[in-house]
Amino acid sequence: MAVVQTVFLQCPSVSISSFSSSPSTAINRVPVKFTVSCSSVSSPITVVNGNVDKSPSERNEVRLGLPSKGRMATDTLELLKDCQLSVRQVNPRQYVAEIPLFPNLEVWFQRPKDIVRKLVSGDLDLGIVGLDTVAEYGQGNEDLILVHDALEYGDCHLSLAIPKYGIFENINSLKELAQMPQWTPERPLRVATGFSYLAPKFMKDNGLKHVTFSTADGALEAAPAMGIADAIVDLVSSGTTLRENNLKEIEGGVIVESQAVLVASRKSMIQRKGVLDITHEMLERLEAHLRAAGQFTVTANMRGSSAEEVAERILSQTSLSGLQGPTVSPVFCKRNGKVTADYYAIVICAPKKELYKSVQQLRAIGGSGVLISPLTYIFDEETPRWRQLLSNLGL
């Protein structure tokens, strides 16, 4: 008979260092240092007769991971709300929520790096995180697939930065940094970073051989001034913090251009029921909303002899072409007992930066009663990213 045992793996990283025997004993004391590391909570593992069964856990719900705190979390919830995908969290202390539009979807609030790890392990099916997080913690895993690679918030880039002073004063490129004679096996370039996968990979790919790394999570900009590092690899948004700490980016030093992305488990998309359908609707809504961002509907009335004649006047103006051309419709009124169409209604789309110019051009060719309203969605005939996703999945 097979013996089945379910084991839940859950333990934090533990570091035990420098312990010895009691000083009252006669045994020589030998310092010992070791580290025990365990992954974060993942799916239960089933052990059958001592063998680990690696098949994914069975569940009916689709799981979406969202950042649990910070600016990324706020902006993600705002974007979903704008797409009519509001997240409802009954208890703010709980890590699970729902999107009422998708009854079969669970929303789990997690640290961004844990979202990526749980996508890989199969505990999540979809997630929204920064591309830098996907690259760092996904480490090129082929099961991770980008569904939408540009959600247009969380913009930053992962970059190498060095001091503006001392031996680096005249170093302005990665090539010049690599050619500095100071770096030897005995005295390597010391880099402080929280990106323990991307930073070493970048250095190796760019021919910097004599490099050591120290791991840190915050206040990296202070490391060179304190003398504990020669350079840092960190996320940069505006660059103000670097400049205020006398640091500079160099040519060729950008590792990843990042923003928020929608990422999924390839295995879940193919094997788990409901994931592909939910992904399709999310993608449609995100694409349509992002395309409509900054676009306005402009409506006006214009006197003319025919729809064609009015369209000719409109298309003679550079800012009135719209997405595919203007919509021109007759405006009917009753005059002397007869229905006539002396005016035509004009509808075009105009980007925000061209809005006032569009209004001026409409007025110049006889437009009146101009109405402006923001757009919520612009749906294409078919979302290009959906076609690409199906192709990547081999469907």
Side-chain angles (χ1 to χ4, degrees):
M1 180 181 294
V3 179
V4 180
Q5 179 184 9
T6 300
V7 181
F8 291 84
L9 296 181
Q10 179 180 6
C11 93
S13 292
V14 180
S15 180
I16 307 175
S17 62
S18 190
F19 72 88
S20 61
S21 59
S22 170
S24 62
T25 65
I27 301 174
N28 292 331
R29 289 181 292 174
V30 180
V32 179
K33 180 176 182 178
F34 62 90
T35 301
V36 179
S37 297
C38 294
S39 61
S40 57
V41 179
S42 61
S43 294
I45 294 175
T46 302
V47 181
V48 182
N49 287 340
N51 297 317
V52 177
D53 180 6
K54 295 184 179 180
S55 60
S57 60
E58 291 297 328
R59 55 180 165 83
N60 296 320
E61 299 80 17
V62 177
R63 291 178 178 173
L64 168 68
L66 299 183
S68 57
K69 59 179 66 176
R71 180 66 180 272
M72 179 71 80
T74 302
D75 290 347
T76 299
L77 293 177
E78 191 66 31
L79 174 63
L80 292 174
K81 181 180 178 181
D82 290 342
C83 295
Q84 316 304 314
L85 298 173
S86 295
V87 176
R88 185 170 68 184
Q89 188 177 16
V90 178
N91 185 342
R93 292 182 178 275
Q94 291 181 336
Y95 289 98
V96 64
E98 64 179 2
I99 295 178
L101 191 67
F102 298 131
N104 196 41
L105 179 71
E106 293 179 347
V107 176
W108 287 85
F109 293 103
Q110 302 282 296
R111 294 183 302 175
K113 61 183 179 181
D114 288 337
I115 291 175
V116 178
R117 287 168 174 164
K118 290 174 182 178
L119 282 168
V120 172
S121 69
D123 295 302
L124 292 174
D125 305 304
L126 297 159
I128 296 179
V129 292
L131 182 59
D132 60 287
T133 307
V134 177
E136 171 68 16
Y137 296 97
Q139 300 184 6
N141 191 299
E142 293 183 355
D143 189 53
L144 294 177
I145 185 168
L146 289 181
V147 178
H148 199 300
D149 59 354
L151 294 179
E152 298 185 10
Y153 67 95
D155 297 76
C156 61
H157 58 274
L158 182 64
S159 184
L160 174 68
I162 61 175
K164 296 179 179 178
Y165 49 85
I167 60 173
F168 300 101
E169 185 174 0
N170 296 316
I171 303 299
N172 297 300
S173 71
L174 186 64
K175 182 179 179 180
E176 291 172 351
L177 179 66
Q179 293 175 346
M180 291 178 67
Q182 284 87 348
W183 318 131
T184 66
E186 294 74 26
R187 175 58 175 92
L189 175 69
R190 300 168 301 161
V191 179
T193 184
F195 291 81
S196 57
Y197 170 75
L198 288 177
K201 183 178 184 300
F202 176 77
M203 293 297 190
K204 181 180 179 181
D205 292 346
N206 285 276
L208 282 88
K209 299 178 181 178
H210 308 305
V211 187
T212 59
F213 297 87
S214 58
T215 303
D217 292 324
L220 290 179
E221 293 83 3
M226 294 177 69
I228 59 178
D230 303 303
I232 68 170
V233 169
D234 201 9
L235 292 174
V236 180
S237 295
S238 65
T240 301
T241 305
L242 290 182
R243 290 190 293 271
E244 289 179 347
N245 286 275
N246 291 315
L247 299 176
K248 63 183 178 182
E249 295 182 82
I250 56 177
E251 181 184 345
V254 175
I255 301 172
V256 174
E257 292 284 357
S258 182
Q259 61 177 299
V261 298
L262 174 62
V263 63
S265 161
R266 183 187 300 270
K267 188 180 297 183
S268 290
M269 299 265 268
I270 297 172
Q271 297 180 1
R272 197 178 299 283
K273 183 180 178 181
V275 175
L276 203 58
D277 290 338
I278 288 175
T279 302
H280 189 192
E281 183 168 345
M282 284 187 67
L283 185 57
E284 289 269 19
R285 288 173 175 271
L286 289 167
E287 283 273 76
H289 174 69
L290 292 172
R291 191 177 181 207
Q295 295 281 345
F296 290 81
T297 299
V298 181
T299 306
N301 288 335
M302 188 177 298
R303 188 185 291 274
S305 58
S306 68
E308 290 76 11
E309 184 266 330
V310 171
E312 284 284 349
R313 273 189 279 161
I314 295 171
L315 292 172
S316 69
Q317 306 297 312
T318 57
S319 296
L320 302 181
S321 59
L323 294 176
Q324 295 171 321
T327 300
V328 181
S329 306
V331 178
F332 295 101
C333 62
K334 199 168 186 179
R335 186 173 298 163
N336 299 325
K338 294 183 178 181
V339 175
T340 62
D342 296 330
Y343 282 87
Y344 290 84
I346 316 303
V347 181
I348 62 169
C349 260
K352 185 176 182 179
K353 61 182 180 181
E354 297 284 339
L355 191 56
Y356 185 64
K357 185 179 179 181
S358 299
V359 173
Q360 287 181 308
Q361 290 184 354
L362 271 174
R363 287 171 171 170
I365 59 175
S368 61
V370 181
L371 304 177
I372 310 291
S373 57
L375 286 171
T376 303
Y377 296 111
I378 299 177
F379 284 98
D380 281 320
E381 186 175 342
E382 186 180 33
T383 304
R385 281 188 173 89
W386 175 246
R387 292 197 301 269
Q388 183 62 48
L389 177 62
L390 293 180
S391 175
N392 291 340
L393 293 172
L395 300 177

